[in-house]
Amino acid sequence: MNMITSSSLVFSLLFCLMVSMLLLPLPSNGADPDPLQDFCVADLNASTSVNGFPCKPVSKTTSDDFFFDGLSKEGNTSNPFGANLTAGNVLAFPGLNTLGISMNRVDFAPGGINPPHSHPRASESGVVIEGKLLVGFVTTNNVFYSKVLSAGQMFVIPRGLVHFQLNVGEGKALAFTAFNSQLPGAVVLPLTLFASMPSIPDQVLTKALQVDKDVINTIRSKFGF
């Protein structure tokens, strides 16, 4: 595949992803409330606290507020999970404030994993750009759905369900994900259970996971605790 054809494929995939993202926040079940003005660029330094962010004065709004290049750079996957998530949410891209959408870039080293996690405030759609990923999620009835996806294939994760992506290809992998929330949040199970501050009591974890305290301490040590 030549460079022009490859670039066209990437742009086509991202266009499909953006369309699916825009279709997710329907008025009846949108994750974020509908905006009441054309735009509301977030003032991240405001002293007031609301469910979202106050608007930056229109007089101080510039073209740069509506453009973001943070997803163009490959992430550093030198970590225990072998994956790196670059967030394109309202905290990184204030122009998304009140619009109910955001995107992430996820880079995977060979064998890397975006570990089991959930998004409490959004459904997720994604597209594989490079490599091969095993994508799976578990329902509230403990039913597991999964499939191995290659470049050009999409997936959807219903709001709040635990899910993951694992690189099962021979090389690196890349995916872009989209959400119907400006700040979907993430509950990453390994970090939630074993790296919280303060720590979840040992007696809770040993009872819940049916293991000895030594096992809990061994897992905690993997995260620097």
Side-chain angles (χ1 to χ4, degrees):
M1 181 181 294
N2 60 42
M3 185 176 297
I4 296 178
T5 303
S6 179
S7 298
S8 299
L9 175 61
V10 170
F11 285 121
S12 297
L13 294 175
L14 291 178
F15 175 76
C16 292
L17 182 62
M18 290 299 297
V19 170
S20 68
M21 178 175 64
L22 293 173
L23 292 176
L24 282 174
L26 298 175
S28 61
N29 60 0
D32 294 347
D34 291 334
L36 301 177
Q37 61 281 313
D38 288 344
F39 58 83
C40 173
V41 177
D43 183 354
L44 301 180
N45 298 315
S47 58
T48 56
S49 177
V50 295
N51 189 21
F53 295 94
C55 302
K56 179 179 179 179
V58 174
S59 60
K60 296 184 179 181
T61 299
T62 68
S63 293
D64 286 342
D65 289 319
F66 303 102
F67 301 92
F68 177 66
D69 66 358
L71 303 187
S72 64
K73 306 174 183 67
E74 183 175 358
N76 182 2
T77 58
S78 299
N79 57 65
F81 294 128
N84 185 88
L85 185 147
T86 304
N89 57 36
V90 68
L91 298 178
F93 187 8
L96 295 176
N97 195 39
T98 76
L99 299 182
I101 55 175
S102 60
M103 294 184 69
N104 288 341
R105 171 183 177 137
V106 191
D107 290 280
F108 300 84
I113 186 172
N114 189 8
H117 63 283
S118 66
H119 302 291
R121 297 186 289 272
S123 295
E124 172 183 350
S125 61
V127 60
V128 179
I129 301 298
E130 176 186 353
K132 187 179 294 184
L133 295 177
L134 170 64
V135 180
F137 68 90
V138 181
T139 71
T140 55
N141 291 322
N142 286 329
V143 178
F144 177 52
Y145 294 94
S146 69
K147 189 171 184 178
V148 173
L149 304 179
S150 56
Q153 296 182 306
M154 294 183 64
F155 61 89
V156 63
I157 308 296
R159 177 178 175 175
L161 297 187
V162 174
H163 60 285
F164 66 87
Q165 299 99 33
L166 172 67
N167 184 0
V168 294
E170 296 182 357
K172 298 188 296 185
L174 170 64
F176 283 92
T177 56
F179 306 88
N180 62 332
S181 173
Q182 66 182 30
L183 194 61
V187 180
V188 183
L189 269 61
L191 301 181
T192 298
L193 293 176
F194 300 105
S196 65
M197 293 294 291
S199 298
I200 297 174
D202 288 344
Q203 57 266 39
V204 173
L205 294 177
T206 55
K207 186 69 172 180
L209 300 177
Q210 296 292 291
V211 297
D212 295 329
K213 182 178 177 180
D214 289 344
V215 175
I216 300 300
N217 291 336
T218 298
I219 298 175
R220 280 204 179 112
S221 69
K222 303 295 184 181
F223 300 105
F225 288 86

